[in-house]
Amino acid sequence: MAIVPVALGARSYDIIVEQGALDRAGDILAPYARKGRLVVVTDAHVAAAQLPRLDASLRAANVTLEPIILPPGEQTKSWRHLEQLLDALLALEIERGDHVVALGGGVIGDLVGFAASILKRGCHFIQVPTTLLAQVDSSVGGKTAINTAAGKNLIGSFYQPTLVLIDPSTLDSLPPRETRAGYAEVVKYGLIDDPDFFGWCEANAQALLAGDPDARTIAIERSVRAKAAIVADDERETSGRRALLNLGHTFGHALEADTGFCDTLLHGEGVAAGMALAFRYSARLGLCAQSDADRVTAHLKAVGLPHNLATAHVTADGAALVGHMLHDKKMAAGTLPFLLARGIGQTFLSKDVVLDDVAAFLDADHAATA
């Protein structure tokens, strides 16, 4: 078992990474159960695969599980399902001192975290992420949100969980595509500032994706340690360091918007294509070597992730994609910061990108890779 602290003063919490942790979650979560009850929010897919394990563990610890089961998919991060969830929590008489458990992927974690942040002006919540993407990224750091017609994650809050409990064995039930999508957020940490970890990813990605427990545990632990350090240094993205975690996301969110925030392009797939585009755009600007951009693209392609507009199923032109970017929540004074790179492990925040040039690059890149 690994325990990774997120050092945020009074809001500090631990990330527990342990194979089989879900089967002993009762012992871990019992102290957070008021009057011997925990409300667990999940989706229909995760409920079928993992809820019986959690229920059995809680029952063994004399804790009653009260489930709220929502539809699966990105569309659940919406006003409608936020209202549905809040009404269900109020009907269960959740109090400010209670803990709501988010059991699922990034959609459930983001939605439950946001609901907890506004319910009775704030109750507690615990993250039990069951997808690779949620385990290495979205469950850590307190970013909570829902999507709107204007864009992704535009309505939300910074609200830290009380605990993050990660059991890599929950990945056994995932379709291979979901695991690959989550892997994009793993390799991101190497591309940000850890070229040695990117090299580890190149050597171990296939084992990780095939379900090797050691490779999965190493990837998860290294990823959450990297994110915990960044979050502790810049919790609310004020110094600029936390913004590095958005590598691939400005391009990726535009691709997701163009495909309708649906299963055509999963979030991690959009991030993968976005990282490849960010490196190729950096090479276009002369910031990094073309060989680095080619290496990133080749690795993403080798593991079966989208690496250009065509493989992301995006047909829109550059101007339309830049139009989506204008709704990005990072816009400030009419300027959109971009995460670019001077090389692998050398990501930086640029605030002088010309959006017309981005549109031209996207058109040229699409033509070159179509």
Side-chain angles (χ1 to χ4, degrees):
M1 179 177 68
I3 299 177
V4 179
V6 182
L8 292 170
R11 296 178 307 286
S12 296
Y13 56 95
D14 287 335
I15 307 163
I16 298 173
V17 183
E18 181 184 2
Q19 188 79 8
L22 200 61
D23 298 311
R24 72 175 198 91
D27 292 335
I28 299 170
L29 300 181
Y32 304 103
R34 184 178 67 89
K35 295 183 179 179
R37 181 191 76 159
L38 278 175
V39 174
V40 177
V41 184
T42 188
D43 68 41
H45 289 166
V46 178
Q50 306 297 344
L51 200 58
R53 291 178 64 191
L54 180 58
D55 187 33
S57 180
L58 290 174
R59 285 180 183 275
N62 295 315
V63 175
T64 299
L65 183 155
E66 291 270 13
I68 297 174
I69 300 176
L70 299 172
E74 188 73 23
Q75 297 90 331
T76 300
K77 279 178 60 170
S78 67
W79 285 114
R80 180 165 69 91
H81 288 102
L82 175 65
E83 182 180 17
Q84 177 187 346
L85 174 57
L86 289 169
D87 284 343
L89 292 171
L90 289 169
L92 289 170
E93 300 180 348
I94 290 293
E95 296 182 2
R96 294 180 67 180
D98 284 337
H99 287 77
V100 180
V101 177
L103 175 70
V107 168
I108 290 295
D110 284 3
L111 179 66
V112 174
F114 185 41
S117 76
I118 60 177
L119 183 68
K120 298 185 176 180
R121 297 191 176 92
C123 65
H124 305 296
F125 81 111
I126 294 169
Q127 291 271 21
V128 184
T130 60
T131 66
L132 184 59
L133 188 149
Q135 289 176 352
V136 302
D137 184 64
S138 62
S139 67
V140 178
K143 281 189 175 181
T144 74
I146 59 171
N147 304 330
T148 71
K152 188 178 177 72
N153 296 332
L154 295 181
I155 309 295
S157 61
F158 286 95
Y159 197 68
Q160 300 296 340
T162 301
L163 176 73
V164 180
L165 180 62
I166 298 174
D167 180 354
S169 75
T170 61
L171 305 181
D172 292 339
S173 65
L174 290 184
R177 183 186 176 197
E178 288 277 358
T179 305
R180 284 196 303 272
Y183 174 73
E185 296 281 7
V186 173
V187 75
K188 178 187 75 176
Y189 293 104
L191 295 176
I192 289 173
D193 63 0
D194 192 346
D196 289 341
F197 186 48
F198 181 72
W200 182 93
C201 288
E202 289 179 306
N204 293 278
Q206 297 300 342
L208 187 160
L209 294 172
D212 180 85
D214 291 338
R216 288 194 309 203
T217 300
I218 290 170
I220 293 167
E221 184 179 343
R222 288 190 67 166
S223 296
V224 297
R225 285 192 186 279
K227 185 162 188 180
I230 290 174
V231 169
D233 186 57
D234 184 18
E235 180 183 5
R236 293 176 175 263
E237 220 166 275
T238 53
S239 75
R241 189 180 177 201
R242 183 164 182 169
L244 298 177
L245 295 169
N246 292 319
L247 175 63
H249 287 61
T250 299
F251 284 108
H253 284 170
L255 307 187
E256 287 185 84
D258 186 68
T259 53
F261 298 112
C262 67
D263 288 347
T264 298
L265 185 70
L266 302 178
H267 174 63
E269 294 172 336
V271 170
M275 291 189 297
L277 289 167
F279 268 81
R280 291 203 293 276
Y281 187 57
S282 297
R284 169 190 171 98
L285 296 177
L287 297 169
C288 81
Q290 185 63 49
S291 58
D292 283 342
D294 292 345
R295 184 178 166 194
V296 172
T297 297
H299 179 59
L300 296 172
K301 182 178 180 179
V303 299
L305 281 166
H307 49 280
N308 54 35
L309 298 185
T311 53
H313 309 293
V314 171
T315 58
D317 64 13
L321 293 173
V322 165
H324 290 307
M325 293 177 187
L326 294 176
H327 295 291
D328 194 292
K329 60 185 178 297
K330 298 183 292 297
M331 285 286 292
T335 299
L336 179 59
F338 272 76
L339 273 298
L340 301 177
R342 296 187 178 91
I344 290 171
Q346 299 179 63
T347 295
F348 71 100
L349 186 67
S350 173
K351 296 184 179 180
D352 56 3
V353 170
V354 178
L355 290 179
D356 286 346
D357 188 56
V358 173
F361 156 73
L362 289 168
D363 287 334
D365 194 78
H366 201 179
T369 56

